[in-house]
Amino acid sequence: MSFFKYIKLKNFRNFHEYENDYNKNCNIIYGKNGSGKTNLLESISLFDKGTGFKNDNLKNIIQSKKEKFINFAQFYSSNKLYELKVFTLQTNERLLKKILVNDDHNKEALTHLRSILSFLIFQPEMERFFLLSPSFRRKFIDRLIYSYNKDYNKLINQYKKNLSERSNILKSQRIDDAWLQKIEDNIARLGIEIYDHRIKQINILNDNLISLFKQKKSPFSVKLKIEDIFLNKNHSNINDVDKYKNQLKINRQNDSFVGGATIGPHRSDISGLINNDFPLNQLSTGQQKTIVLMLILAQSDYLVNKRHIRPIILMDEICSHLDDINRSILLNLVQDFDLQFFMTGTDKNLFSFLSTKTKYYNISNSGKK
């Protein structure tokens, strides 16, 4: 099992200093609005690669008038203790995030940390999941892929870099055709690989959602699909890199006017049906929350039982629209898997349906200075 035992924050968001020990099972962080509940979850997510689930600028994370933040954690995995430190460092007029594992910053230490540390995240805006932008849904699926494939972010970043390079070439007055062709070769190869990962992830979710429905842990059947002009048109032969490159070449003039590329996985969306006939974007807010909780439940099942990964579950302001169905799904999630949870809400009583292993922390007056 993997879990955070102790967390200490310094100059992070609204915390000058904060420290607390945590339960390896379910932790409820409650308190009034503005007390720092979301900030605490964000601080935990920063121990992974990137800038946390808020994806905010590092300078906004540092407490006002302070030079840097320093967060410390004791993290256990397979009964082994890891002392983690994440902090900001100013170098050459750039603000960088650094992570130390047992005071070590070498590549091997960080790679090992990422192999044992994985997150699944619920954010309040996910209650409108199928009404938000396609970009939000793509990032959600990409985050699920990253939960077991730590090289996936490199693939996404390489793809974006080549898209940007192609856009710059198309805007220039003098186009180097050989270089443009090389960039489009990269885009086609990387794009096909991203499509492949996302198709496999959607299939993983659909298979597990069917299983949940058969086990009566889901109130309705759900099937997701990827909406994508190029992918749907070439689904029978999606690995045809030459067809992808040819389409990029055909689209050059149009892409030079509109900017970017009009085909590719950066244009994809996620849609689906419940009970084979009702679109997910027509569901109520509470029902959309049900779908997202089911997706997290399905992914947890895959990670634990197929990948032998035990993710940390971060759920921010989880209690709104928490009807009997959503309580049941959340309870199944907590009871079925031996995982660590951090959930936030304004009132301790909203979580009374959870198990006796749950511990409660009033962030308004606990461990905070």
Side-chain angles (χ1 to χ4, degrees):
M1 183 179 183
S2 299
F3 64 95
F4 286 90
K5 172 61 178 172
Y6 170 78
I7 295 171
K8 181 177 181 179
L9 313 180
K10 185 175 179 63
N11 300 332
F12 183 83
R13 296 286 192 186
N14 67 317
F15 298 109
H16 174 55
E17 288 186 4
Y18 173 90
E19 59 180 328
N20 232 329
D21 289 302
Y22 288 98
N23 175 25
K24 67 179 182 179
N25 301 116
C26 190
N27 301 276
I28 303 302
I29 316 299
Y30 70 96
K32 62 185 180 180
N33 291 328
S35 58
K37 302 185 297 295
T38 302
N39 295 343
L40 176 59
L41 298 195
E42 180 188 26
S43 74
I44 297 171
S45 71
L46 277 165
F47 286 102
D48 200 359
K49 193 173 184 178
T51 55
F53 67 67
K54 284 187 178 180
N55 198 31
D56 200 357
N57 193 304
L58 286 173
K59 68 179 182 180
N60 297 331
I61 295 174
I62 303 171
Q63 194 174 57
S64 178
K65 299 181 180 180
K66 303 296 182 181
E67 292 183 357
K68 63 181 180 179
F69 76 80
I70 304 175
N71 297 345
F72 175 82
Q74 291 180 342
F75 177 74
Y76 282 84
S77 182
S78 300
N79 296 318
K80 184 176 181 180
L81 170 63
Y82 298 85
E83 293 193 340
L84 310 180
K85 184 184 289 186
V86 58
F87 57 97
T88 47
L89 184 67
Q90 189 79 37
T91 59
N92 299 324
E93 299 183 354
R94 289 185 62 199
L95 192 62
L96 304 176
K97 188 189 89 168
K98 294 291 184 180
I99 299 177
L100 300 182
V101 183
N102 297 330
D103 289 325
D104 200 342
H105 182 63
N106 66 41
K107 184 177 179 180
E108 291 76 14
L110 294 177
T111 298
H112 179 65
L113 174 63
R114 288 173 187 136
S115 73
I116 61 175
L117 179 59
S118 186
F119 291 105
L120 294 179
I121 296 169
F122 175 88
Q123 296 170 279
E125 54 264 41
M126 290 180 180
E127 294 180 354
R128 301 177 62 253
F129 186 77
F130 293 98
L131 298 177
L132 296 172
S133 69
S135 173
F136 188 92
R137 288 183 286 278
R138 288 194 301 270
K139 289 178 181 177
F140 177 81
I141 295 299
D142 287 343
R143 186 176 284 172
L144 295 185
I145 298 169
Y146 178 74
S147 69
Y148 57 86
N149 181 352
K150 300 301 181 178
D151 290 326
Y152 184 66
N153 271 17
K154 294 179 184 177
L155 174 63
I156 293 292
N157 290 335
Q158 288 172 1
Y159 177 75
K160 290 179 178 178
K161 181 179 179 180
N162 279 274
L163 279 182
S164 178
E165 180 69 15
R166 177 177 181 267
S167 181
N168 290 335
I169 293 172
L170 292 177
K171 290 177 184 176
S172 66
Q173 296 296 320
R174 303 173 69 178
I175 294 179
D176 183 337
D177 193 68
W179 181 239
L180 178 57
Q181 184 173 325
K182 174 62 176 175
I183 293 297
E184 290 180 342
D185 287 350
N186 292 339
I187 291 172
R189 175 179 53 82
L190 296 168
I192 292 294
E193 194 172 348
I194 293 169
Y195 277 135
D196 185 56
H197 281 293
R198 288 182 180 167
I199 290 169
K200 288 178 180 177
Q201 177 60 56
I202 294 297
N203 289 338
I204 288 167
L205 292 174
N206 283 336
D207 289 345
N208 281 277
L209 288 169
I210 290 171
S211 178
L212 290 174
F213 183 65
K214 289 180 177 179
Q215 296 174 50
K216 298 184 178 180
K217 292 182 178 181
S218 166
F220 32 64
S221 66
V222 180
K223 187 170 184 179
L224 302 176
K225 67 176 181 177
I226 298 176
E227 299 281 358
D228 183 282
I229 294 173
F230 178 79
L231 178 63
N232 295 343
K233 183 178 179 181
N234 300 278
H235 193 273
S236 61
N237 196 16
I238 186 55
N239 291 319
D240 192 337
V241 175
D242 288 335
K243 185 173 288 188
Y244 196 143
K245 290 190 294 185
N246 185 57
Q247 192 61 54
L248 286 171
K249 186 174 182 178
I250 292 171
N251 291 352
R252 284 178 184 176
Q253 185 173 3
N254 185 49
D255 289 349
S256 68
F257 288 114
V258 300
T262 49
I263 65 162
H266 62 291
R267 298 286 185 178
S268 298
D269 197 2
I270 310 299
S271 67
L273 300 172
I274 63 168
N275 300 331
N276 296 317
D277 65 355
F278 199 79
L280 295 177
N281 61 3
Q282 299 299 311
L283 297 177
S284 68
T285 302
Q287 288 174 315
Q288 291 193 49
K289 183 169 191 170
T290 299
I291 301 299
V292 174
L293 291 178
M294 287 166 53
L295 295 179
I296 293 174
L297 182 60
Q299 186 73 1
S300 296
D301 182 72
Y302 173 72
L303 292 177
V304 172
N305 294 316
K306 298 295 175 60
R307 290 280 184 163
H308 308 293
I309 296 171
R310 297 193 175 274
I312 310 296
I313 313 291
L314 306 179
M315 294 185 153
D316 191 25
E317 297 296 344
I318 190 65
C319 286
S320 64
H321 299 104
L322 207 62
D323 57 17
D324 289 342
I325 292 174
N326 288 339
R327 285 192 187 93
S328 177
I329 296 172
L330 197 56
L331 188 58
N332 284 332
L333 184 58
V334 173
Q335 291 181 337
D336 289 357
F337 305 103
D338 190 17
L339 302 175
Q340 186 178 42
F341 295 80
F342 289 88
M343 304 184 195
T344 70
T346 54
D347 190 340
K348 174 181 178 180
N349 295 326
L350 294 171
F351 298 91
S352 59
F353 65 95
L354 293 173
S355 71
T356 55
K357 292 183 179 180
T358 301
K359 291 196 175 181
Y360 297 85
Y361 306 84
N362 186 342
I363 200 169
S364 301
N365 54 27
S366 175
K368 182 179 176 182
K369 296 180 182 179

